[in-house]
Amino acid sequence: MSRLLLGQTLAFTADPFAGPPDDAVRHERHGGVLVDDGRIAAVGAADALRAAHPDANVTDYGEALILPGFVDAHAHYPQTAIIASWGKRLIDWLETYTFPEESRFHDAAYAAQMAETYLDLVTAHGTTTVCTFCTIHPESVTAIFAAAERRGMRLVAGKTAMDRNAPEFLRDTAQSAYDDSKALLQRWHGRGRLSYAVTPRFSPTSTPEQLAAMGALWAEHPGCPMQTHLSEQRDEVAWVADLFPQARDYLDTYEAAGLVGPGALFGHAIHLTPRETARIAETGGALVHCPTSNTFIGSGLFDTARRAAEGHRIGLATDTGGGSSFSMLRTMAAAYEIGQLTGTALHPAQLLWLATAGSARALRLDDRIGTLAPGMEADLCILDLASTPAIEQAAARADSVWEQVFPTIMMGDDRAVAATWIDGAPTAR
Ligand code: GUN
Ligand code: ZN
């Protein structure tokens, strides 16, 4: 049976970085989304949809805003429990907090428990797809894919490969990373709504041999995404230059291994040379902006407007637990604040697009998720635009949908998420 959701709707029809942001969106104050068999069947005016589908089961969200579910293009679900750990910068933070926690994921029961906790949290925050790193343990990959499959979630994940500069108990080898990743890829990639991402953590923790092994696996499965980190902190960039004296730059350590191309996802990508940005744009890779992480770990300022103008695919992400939030609302707020520091006030349409269609495009899933349009998968986030007294009194003065939604972008959290729909059905709360 069809289901009809009523509320305000915002449907992107174009990239709001490519022209006037207002022109890229269709807003219905009294709108509706018709859902049939896990897909969006129609989007339009509430009255017309009601009249055309009198038998549909109606859920009326009133003044709330119906959006595509948020898409988080870079996260580390195994870092759920160490989010908001105090006082360290990247390399120190990895050694002090991250590696000890990640070592626990050899235990399949612990991995399964954390996978459930993480997916509960992101769902409560309106996120319906994540692209996540796991740990070196195959158990960690099985745990998150199995949990996502049970929930019907579209999810991207991969086994993190590390064969140096990590504690012994968190190291694999070039060969075992290849073999384990391949077995996981064959088991999970393309099964239901799941995709496998080839996942070398970053150049400091992989030998050139391991990067090459990951490049070989990706070449055998070019339809898979490839996720890693790039130029997050200046100390890290200097370390990579020491470890790879023959490389032209940080990106070249990946390029030499066959890890640059369409489907590549470069987390952070802040401190880039002109050669690196040009190469990523021309090869069709994506930059993934992780703003709460960049301020929390003290990494630097990603210039979203400049990178968009250069023609880059850009995704938006929490980077949990380097990032300090599970919320894509909080993440949009941080992207706005960093935009102010780099000289551009990002428009609310641009922020919402990055958190939905932009991230979906970075993941090359934009033909399935990230937009309210017929044929797209029915993953939805319904936002209460007056979820706290502070937000309510600010939104009450609004003259446009942008003024109405911006206080929720800047101050909202999981209390603003009235409902999350996954695969055509509301999730239990
Ligand atoms: N670089 C390599 N690994 C990580 C990680 O787990 N988090 C962040 N923020 N950066 C990384
Ligand atoms: Zn990361």
Side-chain angles (χ1 to χ4, degrees):
M1 186 200 24
S2 302
R3 303 191 65 155
L4 179 59
L5 294 77
L6 302 179
Q8 300 194 61
T9 54
L10 270 186
F12 285 98
T13 51
D15 173 352
F17 286 95
D22 257 332
D23 296 353
V25 195
R26 201 165 41 241
H27 171 236
E28 296 275 0
R29 181 155 293 287
H30 300 287
V33 177
L34 186 75
V35 170
D36 209 354
D37 201 19
R39 302 234 170 207
I40 296 174
V43 182
D47 289 347
L49 286 169
R50 264 188 192 277
H53 304 279
D55 297 335
N57 177 324
V58 175
T59 310
D60 191 346
Y61 288 109
E63 283 279 292
L65 180 64
I66 304 172
L67 291 170
F70 295 131
V71 180
D72 184 344
H74 178 123
H76 299 257
Y77 95 83
Q79 298 171 14
T80 297
I82 56 140
I83 196 167
S85 291
W86 184 85
K88 301 289 183 186
R89 292 171 63 84
L90 178 60
I91 307 303
D92 234 10
W93 173 85
L94 284 172
E95 284 168 5
T96 309
Y97 298 119
T98 309
F99 291 159
E101 178 63 16
E102 289 193 6
S103 73
R104 301 181 67 177
F105 285 71
H106 73 91
D107 174 352
Y110 185 70
Q113 176 201 325
M114 292 313 299
E116 297 295 343
T117 300
Y118 174 75
L119 293 182
D120 283 349
L121 283 166
V122 299
T123 304
H125 286 84
T127 297
T128 50
T129 288
V130 297
C131 178
T132 182
F133 287 63
C134 300
T135 66
I136 68 151
H137 313 99
E139 293 84 352
S140 71
V141 182
T142 302
I144 194 78
F145 276 139
E149 184 172 62
R150 273 195 299 278
R151 294 162 189 247
M153 279 182 86
R154 183 165 283 291
L155 181 128
V156 185
K159 181 199 116 78
T160 297
M162 288 203 276
D163 69 344
R164 66 167 164 176
N165 294 320
E168 151 98 78
F169 51 83
L170 270 188
R171 267 185 263 150
D172 50 17
T173 66
Q175 188 65 48
S176 75
Y178 175 88
D179 293 343
D180 288 347
S181 302
K182 185 173 179 141
L184 289 162
L185 185 160
Q186 287 172 337
R187 177 166 174 205
W188 295 105
H189 185 65
R191 172 163 152 175
R193 305 188 77 197
L194 309 176
S195 307
Y196 188 86
V198 176
T199 308
R201 181 175 214 122
F202 68 156
S203 291
T205 50
S206 288
T207 58
E209 293 71 33
Q210 183 172 69
L211 293 176
M214 293 296 98
L217 180 62
W218 196 30
E220 290 163 30
H221 301 277
C224 290
M226 188 290 302
Q227 59 178 343
T228 189
H229 298 86
L230 177 68
S231 297
E232 179 178 359
Q233 288 209 341
R234 292 199 186 280
D235 292 358
E236 171 208 1
V237 177
W239 191 21
V240 169
D242 277 351
L243 289 168
F244 294 82
Q246 74 290 4
R248 286 173 289 182
D249 46 42
Y250 195 155
L251 185 72
D252 199 30
T253 64
Y254 296 131
E255 206 168 337
L259 292 169
V260 171
L265 297 156
F266 296 106
H268 306 286
I270 300 169
H271 308 288
L272 298 179
T273 64
R275 188 201 86 83
E276 291 172 296
T277 51
R279 192 78 188 118
I280 294 169
E282 86 194 15
T283 54
L287 312 178
V288 186
H289 181 25
C290 306
T292 72
S293 174
N294 297 159
T295 51
F296 185 73
I297 316 187
S299 301
L301 305 177
F302 179 92
D303 191 339
T304 303
R306 178 172 164 203
R307 297 303 177 218
E310 289 168 351
H312 283 96
R313 283 172 190 256
I314 303 173
L316 187 66
T318 59
D319 191 33
T320 305
S324 54
S325 176
F326 295 97
S327 170
M328 290 298 285
L329 292 170
R330 173 76 195 100
T331 302
M332 285 182 254
Y336 178 79
E337 290 164 351
I338 289 179
Q340 289 287 54
L341 291 170
T342 55
T344 306
L346 295 172
H347 190 278
Q350 294 173 327
L351 296 166
L352 288 166
W353 184 83
L354 285 170
T356 55
S359 279
R361 180 166 165 262
L363 299 177
R364 294 184 177 259
L365 293 172
D366 48 326
D367 57 337
R368 297 163 193 209
I369 56 169
T371 334
L372 292 187
M376 303 294 280
E377 294 170 356
D379 292 340
L380 304 166
C381 166
I382 294 91
L383 288 183
D384 172 358
L385 301 181
S387 61
T388 68
I391 294 172
E392 184 174 24
Q393 61 85 37
R397 311 169 65 110
D399 287 327
S400 70
V401 67
W402 304 123
E403 289 177 9
Q404 200 188 0
V405 74
F406 195 56
T408 290
I409 291 177
M410 292 308 300
M411 297 191 282
D413 53 29
D414 51 336
R415 290 169 291 177
V417 177
T420 305
W421 286 50
I422 289 179
D423 201 22
T427 57
R429 299 178 65 83

